[in-house]
């Protein structure tokens, strides 16, 4: 069995969640001995498509014409397309129609969460769907005291540190992050993620260029820097309004960073407030919970201990076996 793992726009998507998901799939399959290629011109037995652009559609049609089964990974939804880059809200209805058509043309679907599965079902897509987490590499994302100390020295941080990771989209809560930070002058806030300013609305560009004095946007940074930030932070604060799973949340769990997230449907059932994270319903509540999390080391320790267990349940070796079993199931039905 040889699988095509397909994603288009690799240079652009490499800095996004879809790009990370592709890398995770590659590592996961290596861990369980499944051969794969990322070159659509290679020979393969099954196509696993991650994107909905013209390249993904081309691979879909080519595979169907050749009688090869196709699995579509439902990373893209109408809901998470909105409030992202310029004109995303205007394009969202067209994207929804395209999503429904492409997903319905596959043989099988994989969703990163039960929430995303239910969204896709709501579009009227009636194919079999299996929920498989994007996963996290527990070996790579492990708390590192040396990198933590190096990060704090690099940026001259002595007091409390709060971080977030992701593309600085309105949907991700970057405006809320800054609004809350502006009222906490004694805390340093960092938001890591490629700025891609050519795609961002004017409001977000202005925020990135003129953030509150205690907020830093370093942009896209080396992996070691991110690892140091995860290891050094007093809180990982991710106020996103819409996610299909949240790979950075999985990374924060694995790195044993105390987590504060917005209480949105995608986290229900696996991110449990007061157990492996804290959840807030609005910015006022998030602000109060952030103060509590930074001040209460005992609480932080409890959350990170349970959070690590949550991450281990989604290690890439486990994800690889789930993908392998799904591929075999789909191939057997052809």
């Amino acid at each position: 069995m040889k699988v095509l793992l397909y994603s288009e726009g690799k240079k652009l998507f490499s800095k996004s969640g879809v790009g990370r998901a592709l890398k995770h799939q590659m590592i996961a399959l290596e861990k369980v001995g499944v051969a794969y290629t990322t070159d659509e011109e290679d020979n393969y037995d099954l196509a696993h498509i991650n994107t909905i652009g013209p390249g993904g559609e081309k691979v879909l049609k080519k595979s169907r014409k050749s009688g090869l089964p196709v699995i579509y990974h439902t990373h893209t939804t109408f809901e998470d397309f909105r409030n992202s880059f310029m004109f995303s809200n205007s394009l969202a209805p067209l994207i929804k129609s395209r999503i429904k058509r492409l997903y319905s043309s596959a043989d099988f679907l994989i969703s990163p969460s039960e929430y995303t599965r239910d969204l896709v079902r709501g579009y009227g897509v009636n194919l079999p769907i299996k929920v498989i987490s994007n996963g996290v590499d527990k070996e790579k994302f492990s708390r590192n005291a040396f990198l933590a100390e190096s990060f704090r020295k690099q940026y001259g941080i002595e007091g409390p540190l709060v971080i977030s990771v992701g593309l600085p989209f309105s949907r991700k809560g970057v405006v809320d992050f800054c609004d809350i930070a502006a009222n906490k002058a004694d805390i340093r806030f960092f938001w890591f993620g490629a700025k891609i300013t050519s795609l961002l609305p004017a409001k977000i560009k202005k925020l990135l260029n003129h953030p509150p004095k205690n907020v830093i946007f370093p942009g896209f940074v080396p992996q070691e820097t991110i690892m140091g930030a995860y290891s050094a932070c007093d809180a990982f604060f991710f106020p996103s309004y819409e996610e299909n799973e949240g790979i950075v949340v999985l990374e924060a769990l694995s790195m044993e960073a105390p987590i504060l997230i917005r209480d949105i449907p995608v986290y229900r059932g696996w991110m449990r407030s007061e157990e492996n994270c804290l959840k807030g319903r609005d910015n006022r509540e998030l602000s109060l919970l952030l103060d509590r999390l930074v001040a209460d080391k005992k609480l932080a320790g409890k959350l990170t201990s349970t959070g690590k267990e949550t991450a281990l349940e989604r290690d890439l070796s486990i994800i690889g076996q789930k993908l392998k079993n799904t591929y075999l199931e789909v191939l057997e039905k052809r």
Side-chain angles (χ1 to χ4, degrees), residues 282-302:
D282 53 38
N283 284 5
R284 179 181 176 279
E285 194 168 290
L286 287 167
S287 180
L288 293 171
L289 287 171
L290 184 58
D291 289 338
R292 179 183 167 207
L293 187 56
V294 169
D296 191 340
K297 300 304 179 186
K298 185 176 180 180
L299 170 64
K302 172 192 169 185

Side-chain angles (χ1 to χ4, degrees), residues 217-270:
F217 288 99
F220 189 77
V221 298
Q223 190 73 64
E224 279 200 349
T225 302
I226 292 286
M227 305 284 283
Y230 275 129
S231 298
C233 73
D234 295 278
F236 175 79
F237 175 34
F238 192 56
S240 180
Y241 285 89
E242 183 69 33
E243 295 293 320
N244 282 321
E245 183 179 32
I247 289 178
V248 295
V249 173
L250 297 179
E251 292 173 355
L253 287 166
S254 188
M255 294 290 298
E256 299 177 68
I259 295 174
L260 171 62
I261 50 179
R262 192 180 300 278
D263 190 1
I264 55 177
V266 72
Y267 300 130
R268 289 174 190 165
W270 63 284

Side-chain angles (χ1 to χ4, degrees), residues 167-169 191 193-200 208-209 217-220:
L167 295 174
F169 291 157
W191 182 295
K195 297 179 182 179
I196 318 179
T197 51
S198 61
L199 298 177
L200 296 175
L208 298 184
N209 291 328
F217 288 99
F220 189 77

